């Protein structure tokens, strides 16, 4: 166990700079959102009128449930969590997953790991866990970071709403990361991981948007990950949907098992 | 006792056959050179031994452990180094060493090796020359008191002085009971340190001999000039290879016993004859070419 934790620690240390940069960048973005919120709140009625003029289908497509800016949570639900935050989590999760196996094979450094008396499953697990820890830190910092920033800027907030978003967000990020690790187990270079996993997610996003545009396409939303993680709804209404945990949980389990299966059986020509 | 036993290994990459039914064994306490031209299958064989890749058929056992099933266990006693081994550019040599020592355990020998290889572990790998990177990769192979070293062109990139130091280190390792399996293109290196050689070509084993047997491998080159015209069929019938010929002169290459060809030559009136042996390097070249 001690050796396994050493591997996790080493792997985590290897990629900590990118974690710090990502966290600081997103916190900077949140800071900007929160900092300009008071001026938006002053004109909330005007903005609300403007938003009501937007087509409902467009708002549905963007996952914006309550078209108002009269609370920080509704405002962040529209600005931060309707699209931007999901994209940042996807980028972070896929870049971590892509680097950990396919990236090491691409660079040739996987040879160092394979030269050691380590089972392939141990290599996979240590890299998986290190990435998952980094992802968890990223999600906690970027979601809960709003609370101290809002307090610092004397902006009203509902702490419970942000805390309530944490678990669904973790499951969403973890599922994306697990799918990324599956592709990282299969491919020999990071580019293919990003293109394949990213392509699937873009397709899912399009399907989710398409589902909201026409009633007879409504069923398409069930094949999209974005349907099961509607951050705005969770943030504004504190709605927890058990389906979110079920779908992402199943995705995590299947993708991880397939990833281990593939990585322990594949050729690694380094 | 065979430390490495390779049995009927075949491996293909798509339609390309990289190894075709290879079998050999390496005895304990020996240095075995693994030779072959580029693309012959040397690195593929080593990757199979290290379980980086998996064979289509056949099996490899190291210390009587299946290299596929008990790979993590057997690697405790195996040191691996390759001239293609990539290190982490943003780690120092010390970090690499600590990473290996955490998993394989510390070795008293390492301090001495660092000194003998004149290696500075403080700089990051990206600041090291290719030779120093190679030295670090070699050092890592000795972490954890290995009993077998598997090395893919270990001295590529080392200067001649360091090569000699490294040969001495390998000899000492062998004298302490260790076994070394070493692929190389450097024939001089193989002659200097190896006890036996395995030669592969196009994925097939073409020779598995002790160095003494290789040295004694009688390949004669016979230059013959006769007074009467030569008949080519006389020479082909005794199983020698005709290198070149004209009306009265012929150059032949004969393997092993040359009595038959001498009897044939005896039928002619000889004007001039010269019989020479191939050098060790020429023997290897012969084996390479087939």
């Amino acid at each position: 166990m001690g050796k396994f934790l050493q591997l996790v620690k080493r792997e985590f240390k290897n990629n900590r700079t990118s974690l710090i940069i990502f966290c600081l960048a997103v916190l900077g973005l949140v800071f900007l959102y929160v900092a300009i919120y008071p001026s938006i709140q002053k004109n909330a009625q005007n903005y609300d009128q403007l938003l009501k003029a937007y087509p409902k289908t467009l708002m549905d497509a963007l996952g914006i449930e309550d078209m108002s800016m009269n609370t920080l949570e509704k405002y962040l639900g529209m600005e931060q969590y309707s699209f931007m935050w999901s994209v940042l989590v996807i980028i972070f999760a896929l870049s971590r997953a892509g680097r950990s196996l396919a990236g090491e094979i691409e660079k040739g450094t996987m040879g160092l790991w394979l030269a050691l008396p380590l089972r392939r499953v141990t290599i996979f697990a240590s890299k998986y866990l290190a990435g998952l820890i980094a992802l968890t830190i990223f999600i906690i910092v970027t979601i809960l970071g709003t609370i101290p920033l809002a307090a610092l800027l004397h902006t009203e907030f509902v702490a419970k709403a942000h805390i309530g978003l944490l678990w669904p967000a973790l499951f969403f990020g973890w599922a994306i990361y697990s799918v990324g690790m599956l592709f990282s187990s299969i491919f020999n270079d990071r580019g293919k991981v990003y293109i394949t996993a990213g392509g699937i997610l873009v397709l899912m996003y399009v399907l989710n948007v398409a589902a909201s545009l026409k009633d007879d396409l409504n069923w398409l939303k069930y094949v999209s990950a974005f349907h099961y993680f509607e951050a705005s709804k969770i943030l504004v209404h504190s709605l927890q949907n058990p389906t979110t945990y079920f779908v992402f949980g199943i995705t995590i389990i299947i993708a991880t098992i397939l990833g281990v299966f593939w990585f322990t059986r594949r050729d690694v020509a380094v | 006792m065979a430390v490495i036993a390779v049995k009927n290994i075949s491996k293909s990459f798509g339609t390309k056959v990289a190894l075709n039914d290879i079998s050999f064994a390496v005895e304990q306490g020996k240095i075995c050179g693994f030779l072959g031209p580029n693309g012959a299958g040397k690195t593929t064989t080593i990757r199979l031994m290290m379980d980086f890749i998996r064979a289509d058929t056949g099996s490899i056992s190291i210390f009587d452990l299946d290299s596929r099933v008990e790979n993590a266990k057997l690697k405790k006693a195996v040191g691996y180094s390759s001239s293609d081994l990539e290190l982490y550019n943003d780690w120092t040599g010390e970090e690499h060493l600590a990473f290996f020592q955490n998993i394989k355990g510390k070795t008293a020998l390492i301090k001495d090796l660092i000194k003998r290889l004149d290696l500075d572990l403080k700089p990051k790998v990206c600041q090291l020359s290719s030779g120093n990177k190679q030295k670090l990769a070699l050092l890592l192979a000795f972490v954890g008191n290995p009993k077998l070293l598997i090395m893919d062109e270990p001295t590529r990139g080392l200067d001649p002085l360091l090569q000699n130091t490294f040969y001495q280190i390998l000899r000492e390792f062998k004298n302490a009971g260790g076994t070394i399996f070493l692929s190389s293109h450097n024939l001089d290196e193989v002659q200097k340190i190896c006890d036996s050689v395995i030669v592969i070509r196009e994925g097939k084993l073409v020779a598995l001999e002790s160095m003494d047997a290789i040295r004694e491998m009688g390949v004669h080159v016979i230059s013959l000039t006769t007074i009467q015209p030569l008949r080519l069929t006389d020479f082909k019938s005794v199983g020698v290879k005709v290198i070149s010929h004209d009306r009265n002169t012929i150059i032949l290459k004969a393997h092993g016993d040359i009595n038959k060809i001498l009897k044939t030559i005896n039928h002619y009136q000889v004007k001039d004859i010269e019989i020479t042996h191939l050098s060790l390097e020429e023997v290897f070249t012969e084996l390479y070419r087939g």
Side-chain angles (χ1 to χ4, degrees):
Chain A
M1 196 62 188
K3 283 179 184 174
F4 178 72
L5 292 177
Q6 291 274 2
L7 291 173
V8 175
K9 197 175 151 191
R10 183 68 258 186
E11 179 68 9
F12 182 81
K13 200 178 162 193
N14 246 4
N15 293 293
R16 70 182 166 189
T17 313
S18 63
L19 171 66
I20 294 167
I21 291 169
F22 259 86
C23 285
L24 289 177
V26 178
L27 280 180
L29 193 67
V30 173
F31 181 82
L32 283 177
Y33 285 141
V34 177
I36 60 168
Y37 178 64
S39 63
I40 289 183
Q41 197 179 25
K42 274 181 198 167
N43 299 302
Q45 279 188 331
N46 295 338
Y47 282 114
D48 289 353
Q49 288 298 321
L50 187 69
L51 287 168
K52 275 171 191 159
Y54 275 65
K56 190 179 178 304
T57 46
L58 177 67
M59 289 298 155
D60 288 347
L62 293 172
I64 298 166
E65 175 72 9
D66 195 339
M67 288 184 281
S68 175
M69 291 201 182
N70 58 6
T71 67
L72 177 67
E73 284 68 36
K74 285 179 183 175
Y75 164 69
L76 286 178
M78 280 205 286
E79 290 292 336
Q80 164 87 336
Y81 292 106
S82 65
F83 183 72
M84 177 63 80
W85 189 86
S86 302
V87 169
L88 290 168
V89 166
I90 288 167
I91 292 171
F92 185 81
L94 291 184
S95 71
R96 279 303 304 230
R99 270 203 307 267
S100 65
L101 296 171
E104 296 259 17
I105 293 168
E106 186 182 0
K107 282 194 291 179
T109 44
M110 185 58 84
L112 286 174
W113 292 73
L114 294 176
L116 288 167
L118 297 170
R119 290 162 67 213
R120 292 252 186 123
V121 70
T122 308
I123 296 173
F124 182 96
S126 61
K127 287 176 170 287
Y128 186 94
L129 186 58
L132 186 60
I133 291 168
L135 181 70
T136 306
I137 291 171
F138 176 76
I139 289 172
I140 290 173
V141 167
T142 55
I143 290 180
L144 298 189
T146 309
I147 296 172
L149 288 174
L152 189 74
L153 295 164
H154 307 295
T155 304
E156 279 186 35
F157 62 90
V158 183
K160 198 181 150 194
H162 297 275
I163 294 166
L165 181 60
L166 208 55
W167 280 109
L170 274 173
F171 268 73
F172 172 73
W174 189 359
I176 303 292
Y177 174 70
S178 299
V179 171
M181 284 298 283
L182 167 61
F183 289 123
S184 197
S185 303
I186 296 170
F187 296 123
N188 287 334
D189 65 83
R190 284 172 293 174
K192 284 181 184 166
V193 176
Y194 303 153
I195 286 172
T196 313
I200 290 169
L201 288 166
V202 168
L203 180 68
M204 282 185 170
Y205 187 78
V206 171
L207 293 177
N208 199 39
V209 171
S212 65
L213 296 177
K214 280 185 91 177
D215 284 345
D216 57 346
L217 294 177
N218 194 41
W219 62 272
L220 286 175
K221 68 184 181 188
Y222 297 110
V223 292
S224 171
F226 299 96
H227 168 68
Y228 302 101
F229 178 65
E230 293 178 295
S232 298
K233 273 187 193 172
I234 301 164
L235 199 62
V236 175
H237 301 296
S238 298
L239 284 177
Q240 294 283 347
N241 184 359
T243 318
T244 301
Y245 300 106
F246 177 75
V247 170
F248 290 144
I250 292 286
T251 308
I252 290 163
I253 291 166
I254 292 173
T256 307
I257 289 171
L258 286 177
V260 170
F261 181 83
W262 200 283
F263 186 68
T264 52
R265 279 158 182 79
R266 64 165 295 176
D267 284 352
V268 182
V270 285
Chain B
M1 175 202 163
V3 170
I4 302 172
V6 174
K7 288 176 191 158
N8 307 108
I9 281 287
S10 294
K11 175 71 181 173
S12 297
F13 297 102
T15 54
K16 184 179 169 16
V17 179
L19 291 176
N20 188 357
D21 201 24
I22 294 268
S23 296
F24 61 83
V26 178
E27 296 297 312
Q28 189 188 352
K30 302 283 182 192
I31 303 180
C32 176
F34 193 41
L35 299 173
N38 289 331
K42 299 189 297 295
T43 301
T44 299
T45 308
I46 286 177
R47 283 175 178 162
L48 284 165
M49 284 177 182
M50 293 300 293
D51 194 43
F52 289 7
I53 59 174
R54 274 77 193 263
D56 300 332
T57 57
S59 66
I60 298 174
S61 66
I62 295 174
F63 298 118
D64 286 330
L65 298 172
D66 188 294
S67 75
R68 174 79 204 274
V69 181
E70 298 182 271
N71 192 264
K73 193 175 171 186
L74 70 86
K75 275 181 190 168
K76 285 178 185 165
V78 176
Y80 167 76
S81 178
S82 163
S83 56
D84 293 327
L85 187 67
E86 289 292 335
L87 305 165
Y88 286 101
N89 277 328
D90 51 350
W91 290 15
T92 63
E94 280 173 344
E95 284 177 300
H96 279 90
L97 188 58
F99 180 57
F100 267 58
Q101 286 183 330
N102 280 336
I103 306 299
K104 291 187 85 176
K106 294 192 175 177
T107 317
L109 179 72
I110 290 294
K111 273 188 183 172
D112 176 54
L113 286 177
I114 293 168
K115 203 173 165 186
R116 289 170 74 180
L117 290 171
D118 190 24
L119 184 59
D120 182 3
L121 294 174
K122 295 263 187 278
K124 286 188 174 183
V125 164
C126 60
Q127 296 164 339
L128 296 178
S129 67
S130 57
N132 280 324
K133 284 180 193 169
Q134 182 62 10
K135 285 194 272 181
L136 178 57
L138 292 174
L139 182 76
L140 295 176
F142 287 88
V143 172
N145 289 315
K147 291 179 173 54
L148 166 67
L149 294 175
I150 296 177
M151 306 190 134
D152 195 358
E153 296 187 46
T155 54
R156 197 169 78 187
L158 294 186
D159 65 54
L161 283 176
L162 264 167
Q163 281 184 15
N164 284 327
T165 305
F166 183 65
Y167 298 152
Q168 188 54 37
I169 291 168
L170 290 186
R171 282 189 202 102
E172 289 166 18
F173 179 83
K174 177 194 139 177
N175 292 338
T179 308
I180 301 164
F181 184 78
L182 165 150
S183 90
S184 180
H185 275 303
N186 186 338
L187 299 177
D188 185 48
E189 172 175 288
V190 172
Q191 288 179 49
K192 272 183 183 168
I193 60 170
C194 291
D195 301 302
S196 61
V197 288
I198 295 166
V199 183
I200 60 167
R201 190 180 61 240
E202 293 171 356
K204 288 182 180 173
L205 199 79
V206 290
L208 200 171
E209 304 283 353
S210 70
M211 276 311 292
D212 291 339
I214 291 275
R215 285 189 190 99
E216 286 163 12
M217 199 181 267
V219 181
H220 302 88
V221 177
I222 303 161
S223 300
L224 173 70
T225 306
T226 54
I227 290 166
Q228 68 267 56
L230 289 158
R231 287 185 304 275
L232 213 54
T233 47
D234 289 348
F235 299 96
K236 284 185 176 170
S237 63
V238 290
V240 295
K241 194 173 175 184
V242 179
I243 306 295
S244 66
H245 68 93
D246 59 24
R247 190 179 153 84
N248 295 92
T249 302
I250 192 164
I251 300 175
L252 306 162
K253 195 177 281 180
H255 290 257
D257 186 8
I258 57 168
N259 282 306
K260 274 186 182 175
I261 183 67
L262 289 177
K263 277 181 188 165
T264 306
I265 292 169
N266 211 22
H267 296 136
Y268 292 91
Q269 273 191 290
V270 175
K271 190 177 176 188
D272 193 15
I273 185 166
E274 185 186 15
I275 302 175
T276 57
H277 290 97
L278 286 187
S279 68
L280 205 53
E281 192 167 327
E282 285 168 321
V283 172
F284 283 130
T285 309
E286 277 284 298
L287 291 169
Y288 270 39
R289 284 188 188 141

